[in-house]
């Protein structure tokens, strides 16, 4: 049996869960409080981060490296386009959401509201929350700009870029930090991806002490 | 003519410069003070980061997406192995150096000493410098652990993982933050990569107001 060590509101775990789900690769989920640096877990991944995937006797870390591996070892359905330029665009946007969006928005909103309390690193810092609330508007505008011209974020096919973005936004939606009324195209895009079978397990997630927002699991939000 | 918008002590620019150099793709370098958010530059890359590569009428951003594109469009010499598991390992280490090493070490040492002053964001924070000086030891130990078993970081062939690591370490070497005597295998590895023709342009870099360390450009350090 394959195992994914994950944390429910880790966007990087979610990105890998979506890839696995879309490719119909079954995994057992093990929740890992990675910040506690359990020695067994550190042996699995010295970077001390989730996700970690155990598959076929192999232990793999780093969500981008895992997703690229899954593309190569389990190519159907493809989550990257065939053409090199289109693949570049999908990977550029994976980087955008995993790095820029994560640090500017997710860490500052879901991070301040949930990670801090769960990890015991103090109270939310209101300066960060304000900066995150401002930054998400810019990011939603950028997504709308892309989606005006394309069916999915990186082009007319669904790619890993959509999973990277949805992984981040679904964490923010859990903490009620997304204004879905800002852009109809973004809401429509999220509704499409949210209704995929691979998304179901994410919508069932719960972090004790933090209720998900009312619309979190609602496909008709 | 191809153009790379870069900043001399940006490790991500350096990673792309090494890939381009190794593949013998000629580029003109344009230094970009990306933090000043010049509107022309923002049009090239709304993420407001270097590197940005203009090549064949296309403008590309995100060092990982660029390097993957170069692998696909200019496959010789290969900077990723052929086998999917070996490719995974190279990409895991690219993630390790680009994300973990960069945030734990480069930002806290070269970042505090140089970026802060150049960007005008204040004086070095000694708590960060101390944390970076501590973290680099752990990272050098991890590199030595890998290099005891392998000729290069991800296996017996040189890959993008070596360029990611050397890009970060060369910035730290500029600011005298690497103890090359800690592990002979790490020093030998760096000497090998430093002597490649692709590395020459990095060794000629200078940031006004910051002298590189004595051994920075010395191949026999």
């Amino acid at each position: 049996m394959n195992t994914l060590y994950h944390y429910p509101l880790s966007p990087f775990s979610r990105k890998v869960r979506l890839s696995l789900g879309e490719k119909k690769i079954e995994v057992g989920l093990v929740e890992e409080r990675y910040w506690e640096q359990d020695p067994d877990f550190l042996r699995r991944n010295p970077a001390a981060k989730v996700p970690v995937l155990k598959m076929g006797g192999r232990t793999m870390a780093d969500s981008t490296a895992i997703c690229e591996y899954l593309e190569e070892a389990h190519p159907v359905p493809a989550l990257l386009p065939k053409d090199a330029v289109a693949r570049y665009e999908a990977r550029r946007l994976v980087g955008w959401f995993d790095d820029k969006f994560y640090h500017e928005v997710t860490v500052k909103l879901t991070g301040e509201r949930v990670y801090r309390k769960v990890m015991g690193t103090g109270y939310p810092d209101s300066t960060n929350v304000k900066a995150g609330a401002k930054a998400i508007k810019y990011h939603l505008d950028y997504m709308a700009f892309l989606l005006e011209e394309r069916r999915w974020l990186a082009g007319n096919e669904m790619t890993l870029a959509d999973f990277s973005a949805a992984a981040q936004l679904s964490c923010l939606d859990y903490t009620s930090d997304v204004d879905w009324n800002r852009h109809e195209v973004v809401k429509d895009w999220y509704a499409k991806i949210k209704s995929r079978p691979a998304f179901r397990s994410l919508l069932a997630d719960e972090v004790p002490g933090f209720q998900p927002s009312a619309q979190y699991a609602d496909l008709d939000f």
Side-chain angles (χ1 to χ4, degrees), chain A:
Chain A
M1 179 63 173
N2 307 316
T3 304
L4 186 75
Y5 299 87
H6 82 120
Y7 187 73
L9 289 184
S10 148
F12 306 105
S13 302
R14 288 177 166 228
K15 185 176 68 164
V16 171
R17 287 163 74 188
L18 290 172
S19 280
L20 290 165
E22 205 65 37
K23 289 177 185 292
K24 301 203 171 39
I25 301 169
E26 288 203 23
V27 284
L29 293 178
V30 174
E31 192 173 318
E32 182 65 50
R33 297 169 66 88
Y34 57 94
W35 58 91
E36 293 177 354
Q37 308 226 335
D38 175 67
D40 272 349
F41 182 65
L42 286 182
R43 263 194 294 280
R44 282 184 205 111
N45 180 18
K49 288 180 189 172
V50 287
V52 168
L53 178 62
K54 260 179 92 170
M55 192 163 93
R58 215 163 273 125
T59 301
M60 296 187 282
D62 186 282
S63 69
T64 296
I66 291 172
C67 287
E68 293 276 359
Y69 173 80
L70 293 175
E71 270 318 282
E72 296 181 354
H74 301 267
V76 179
L79 298 174
L80 283 175
K82 280 218 170 69
D83 169 67
V85 173
R87 290 162 77 82
Y88 152 74
E89 178 65 356
R91 287 179 173 128
R92 175 184 76 86
L93 289 168
V94 167
W96 179 287
F97 290 101
D98 284 2
D99 180 22
K100 187 175 173 70
F101 188 101
Y102 174 69
H103 287 107
E104 290 178 2
V105 182
T106 312
V107 167
K108 295 200 164 140
L109 293 171
T110 308
E112 290 293 337
R113 296 192 207 285
V114 180
Y115 306 163
R116 260 194 201 273
K117 197 160 171 199
V118 171
M119 297 180 189
T121 55
Y123 290 98
D125 175 328
S126 64
T127 317
N128 283 341
V129 172
K130 264 183 219 158
K134 192 178 161 197
I136 195 174
K137 291 181 190 169
Y138 162 76
H139 281 280
L140 291 172
D141 294 351
Y142 184 58
M143 291 176 72
F145 163 79
L146 296 173
L147 291 166
E148 293 291 353
E149 303 277 326
R150 304 167 170 182
R151 288 189 57 223
W152 297 91
L153 287 170
N156 289 328
E157 304 296 327
M158 184 182 72
T159 67
L160 287 174
D162 299 290
F163 289 177
S164 276
Q168 303 284 338
L169 280 166
S170 63
C171 292
L172 291 154
D173 192 36
Y174 190 100
T175 49
S176 286
D177 281 309
V178 188
D179 173 9
W180 294 114
N181 293 321
R182 191 170 175 89
H183 295 288
E184 209 173 305
V185 282
V186 177
K187 189 177 177 179
D188 291 348
W189 163 85
Y190 192 64
K192 267 196 295 186
I193 204 161
K194 196 176 180 180
S195 64
R196 297 190 79 84
F199 224 90
R200 264 181 228 146
S201 118
L202 274 58
L203 300 181
D205 277 354
E206 275 207 41
V207 177
F210 297 90
Q211 280 280 86
S213 63
Q215 80 282 356
Y216 177 70
D218 185 358
L219 294 183
D220 198 23
F221 58 108

